[in-house]
Amino acid sequence: MLAKNWTPGTRPDGWWMSEKLDGVRAIWDGEHFRSRSGNIFHAPAWFKAGLPALPLDGELFVGRGKFNQTVSIVRSATADWASVRFLVFDLQTDGPFEDRCRTLLALDLPAHVQIVEQVLCRSQAALDEFERAILHLGGEGVMLRSPRSPYDAKRSSHLRKLKRFIDDEATVIGHQDGEGKHENRLGALVCQLTDGTRFRVGSGFTDDQREAPPPIGSKITFRYFELTPDGVPRFPTFLAVRDYE
């Protein structure tokens, strides 16, 4: 189930609010953790021990602002998962959302698997305050679920995201050389959106990524503030190479 953007002006009364997590989406299928496209995350045996034979929908999560660290761990077959938690926010079963939540809360789970708190929204002011509190803690934004909504295995109007910054994908079509402290290594990626819009991403890279940047033809995830009138992402920041899904 994938989220659509929250539409400004929509009344949030009765919707369920939770923090939008800065982790890697994963489904526990009763045997493995899988990405949205079905690829297996090679979690160690101790991490999977004690999990139920139920399809849990959540995120593998290290901490706020630690998306790249999370990706690095879960993409590796040999990494130490000690800092990873699995935060569960839904159950891939029939029935309204409230019933699915009750089922989740009744589960006996290991300490590193936690159920994401869902808060009933009473007003626009309550949503604004909830968002401010999450942003103050360094979080991304808010997820909202409509009352008594089904689990839709698609992008659904029942699930909405409210965030200050927007994540998107682009294809790398070139490398721009760096200058100054980045001389002789990557300065920026030249990228292209699906509509053909070209732009540069010059921030968000580690030193190692600047030495060995994502190859031309690869897809990346990046974050930006808004689009310019010409449709160019404003303040784009690199997040990850999109090969973990």
Side-chain angles (χ1 to χ4, degrees):
M1 187 170 180
L2 303 176
K4 295 184 177 181
N5 291 323
W6 180 254
T7 304
T10 303
R11 290 182 60 88
D13 312 47
W15 286 62
W16 294 95
M17 308 181 293
S18 62
E19 179 174 352
K20 186 181 186 305
L21 302 169
D22 192 16
V24 174
R25 186 74 174 271
I27 301 293
W28 168 252
D29 65 4
E31 183 177 5
H32 298 290
F33 288 99
R34 295 185 180 272
S35 70
R36 292 187 311 190
S37 60
N39 294 325
I40 293 175
F41 295 119
H42 296 286
W46 68 262
F47 195 91
K48 297 186 290 184
L51 284 169
L54 290 172
L56 307 178
D57 189 357
E59 290 200 15
L60 297 167
F61 183 77
V62 171
R64 298 183 182 100
K66 296 183 178 180
F67 175 76
N68 285 333
Q69 183 178 341
T70 307
V71 171
S72 178
I73 293 171
V74 303
R75 282 172 54 186
S76 171
T78 59
D80 182 1
W81 283 55
S83 61
V84 180
R85 289 177 290 158
F86 184 45
L87 303 188
V88 183
F89 42 67
D90 210 339
L91 191 60
Q92 283 189 320
T93 58
D94 295 332
F97 179 63
E98 293 80 354
D99 288 355
R100 302 198 303 274
C101 284
R102 280 190 282 270
T103 299
L104 289 174
L105 291 171
L107 295 175
D108 183 16
L109 299 170
H112 59 274
V113 180
Q114 298 162 15
I115 307 302
V116 174
E117 181 183 15
Q118 303 291 335
V119 178
L120 185 63
C121 185
R122 302 291 186 182
S123 65
Q124 181 63 51
L127 173 57
D128 292 342
E129 178 58 30
F130 189 77
E131 182 192 21
R132 281 194 296 269
I134 288 173
L135 296 177
H136 179 72
L137 293 171
E140 274 202 336
V142 182
M143 299 299 296
L144 296 110
R145 289 169 173 78
S146 60
R148 299 194 62 76
S149 54
Y151 189 98
D152 292 332
K154 60 181 181 180
R155 195 166 299 279
S156 173
S157 296
H158 293 301
L159 179 63
R160 301 283 182 153
K161 55 187 176 182
L162 173 62
K163 56 185 295 187
R164 302 276 180 170
F165 289 85
I166 304 165
D167 293 353
D168 204 347
E169 297 178 12
T171 302
V172 177
I173 62 172
H175 296 151
Q176 179 176 299
D177 293 338
E179 300 177 354
K181 67 177 183 178
H182 297 314
E183 188 175 2
N184 297 321
R185 59 181 183 171
L186 179 72
L189 294 176
V190 183
C191 298
Q192 182 170 293
L193 299 175
T194 54
D195 66 2
T197 300
R198 296 187 176 188
F199 64 104
R200 289 175 173 79
V201 179
S203 63
F205 304 103
T206 64
D207 287 341
D208 288 344
Q209 288 166 338
R210 289 192 183 276
E211 295 291 344
I216 293 173
S218 62
K219 288 188 178 296
I220 66 163
T221 302
F222 69 99
R223 178 168 295 160
Y224 66 99
F225 179 66
E226 62 185 356
L227 294 176
T228 69
D230 295 328
V232 177
R234 193 187 301 274
F235 310 128
T237 300
F238 174 80
L239 291 180
V241 176
R242 201 63 185 232
D243 65 354
Y244 56 88
E245 292 191 345

